[in-house]
Amino acid sequence: MELPPQAPAHAVLWPLRFISVEAMSGVVLLAAAAIALAWANSPWASAYEALWHLKLGLGAAKFLPARDLHFWVNDGLMSVFFLVVGLEIRREMHDGALSDPRVATLPIVAAVGGVVIPALLYVLINTDPAARRGWAIPTATDIAFAVGVLSLIGKDVPPVLRMLLLTLAIIDDIAAILVIAFFYSSGIAVGGMLIVAAGVLGVLLLQWLGVQPALAYVLPGAVVWFGMLRAGLHPALAGVLLGLLTPATSAFGRAQRDPGTRRASEPPVERVEALLHPWVAFGIMPLFALANAGVSLQGLDLSAAVPLAVGAGIVSGLVLGKPIGIVLASIAAVRLKLCTLPEGVRWSHLVLIGLLGGIGFTMSIFIANLAFDDPGLLAAAKFAVLVASVLAATLGLVLGRLRGASATL
């Protein structure tokens, strides 16, 4: 049925029509994170751990080892979040700011700077060989929390800035996954990549045959997800790949000429994004925060030199190294005429992106778990990630608000 012209973009969210949906989703995300952190450090911490370690086979025990609830949130449901991110980037690549190759290259170059400089800062501060294993911790960006904080800044932020942050964070995540694969695990399994290729071919075949229903792509999409898992990569990134493969133009030429079938003529990338966005914003992202923000601080002792250096390296890398690396790399690329700033974006916006890129949080904690076997170093690393992420988020919010209040910034 055709929605009336005055209906909001997401009809299921009509009770929230008087506020910004993006800002509200950011508030819900941060509230869920605060609840998780308090719960994990309360007398009921064992219940929190038991909940997320509840084993779920989801009827796939024959093909997958039994996984816990934490896995299915992070690697299952978050695939849908990454799919929406991929759809947004695909749409912008087609007819938005990222359609200009020189603009699209900017977040890639910035992401490289945002990985290299934090790692160098960490290594300079930490001379102990055991501590240096954590060099990759401050290189990560938590895309969900970074976007959530950006949404709280307000309407003064140019829409293209969200795209730059999303693209940068995706490149950052890919870099982190490659680092994990080559430095903290046994590498990438070729067999898994072949399964990924088979799933991608399945998607392309369905598109070539002109198959339109989104449900038809669930099976090849699941094959891509399973291949990522088998390859030793973060399976949720399958969502980004599938989003980028989604057509950005409608195949219904007749429907485009018929106003009565306007919704059917919407490009698949827009139709799927509109369908999934409210579920991601108010369901998947808060659940992700609840499952991952519950970091226990038991065993924390910063009196020893090595744990203190680990903490200092992580905080310096995320709070200072991220914005410095992102901005310096961007300046160099623009000066060398390799990239250009999008229309309406100023250098202070790049500083804002750099600060939000310092919200390492879940990915940084994940790397810390791989880097450190010593409980003292691990506790120090987790605490430093929390401190750095809160500092980066606070500085980003302050800069964003000041930027909106001052035309001279």
Side-chain angles (χ1 to χ4, degrees), residues 1-253:
M1 178 186 297
E2 182 72 20
L3 290 174
Q6 68 271 18
H10 303 302
V12 295
L13 300 180
W14 68 266
L16 305 175
R17 63 190 181 278
F18 54 90
I19 58 175
S20 167
V21 171
E22 292 293 339
M24 186 61 186
S25 67
V27 171
V28 174
L29 179 75
L30 295 181
I35 291 171
L37 185 60
W39 189 359
N41 291 278
S42 73
W44 304 279
S46 58
Y48 179 85
E49 290 295 322
L51 172 64
W52 301 112
H53 286 90
L54 181 67
K55 294 293 183 182
L56 295 176
L58 296 186
K62 181 179 179 181
F63 307 99
L64 296 170
R67 302 282 183 165
D68 58 21
L69 182 58
H70 188 269
F71 169 85
W72 289 113
V73 170
N74 283 14
D75 298 70
L77 290 179
M78 283 301 286
S79 299
V80 182
F81 166 78
F82 279 104
L83 172 61
V84 172
V85 170
L87 291 169
E88 289 192 48
I89 294 175
R90 176 69 183 93
R91 176 166 46 79
E92 288 293 319
M93 290 173 63
H94 175 67
D95 58 4
L98 298 182
S99 60
D100 182 346
R102 295 180 66 198
V103 173
T105 306
L106 179 64
I108 299 175
V109 174
V112 173
V115 169
V116 173
I117 300 301
L120 288 177
L121 273 178
Y122 182 92
V123 170
L124 287 174
I125 293 173
N126 287 273
T127 57
D128 183 85
R132 280 193 167 182
R133 275 187 53 81
W135 64 270
I137 297 172
T139 66
T141 296
D142 189 308
I143 182 172
F145 279 94
V147 172
V149 173
L150 180 65
S151 69
L152 296 176
I153 292 176
K155 298 180 180 179
D156 296 313
V157 177
V160 69
L161 210 61
R162 174 185 168 87
M163 284 301 104
L164 291 179
L165 180 60
L166 284 173
T167 309
L168 182 147
I170 287 294
I171 301 300
D172 193 290
D173 270 0
I174 292 173
I177 287 167
L178 292 176
V179 165
I180 291 169
F182 289 109
F183 292 94
Y184 296 105
S185 67
S186 56
I188 298 174
V190 176
M193 296 308 297
L194 292 176
I195 296 175
V196 171
V200 170
L201 288 175
V203 170
L204 295 177
L205 177 61
L206 289 177
Q207 291 178 357
W208 181 73
L209 292 173
V211 177
Q212 296 300 319
L215 288 177
Y217 293 85
V218 171
L219 180 58
V223 171
V224 175
W225 182 91
F226 181 72
M228 290 279 192
L229 180 64
R230 285 293 189 182
L233 300 174
H234 198 307
L237 280 183
V240 178
L241 182 57
L242 294 170
L244 294 176
L245 289 173
T246 304
T249 57
S250 175
F252 295 107

Side-chain angles (χ1 to χ4, degrees), residues 8 16 21 76 95 193 225 263 269 274 277 285 314 342 361:
L16 305 175
V21 171
D95 58 4
M193 296 308 297
W225 182 91
R263 291 185 63 84
V269 68
H277 183 266
M285 288 179 65
I314 292 171
F361 210 44

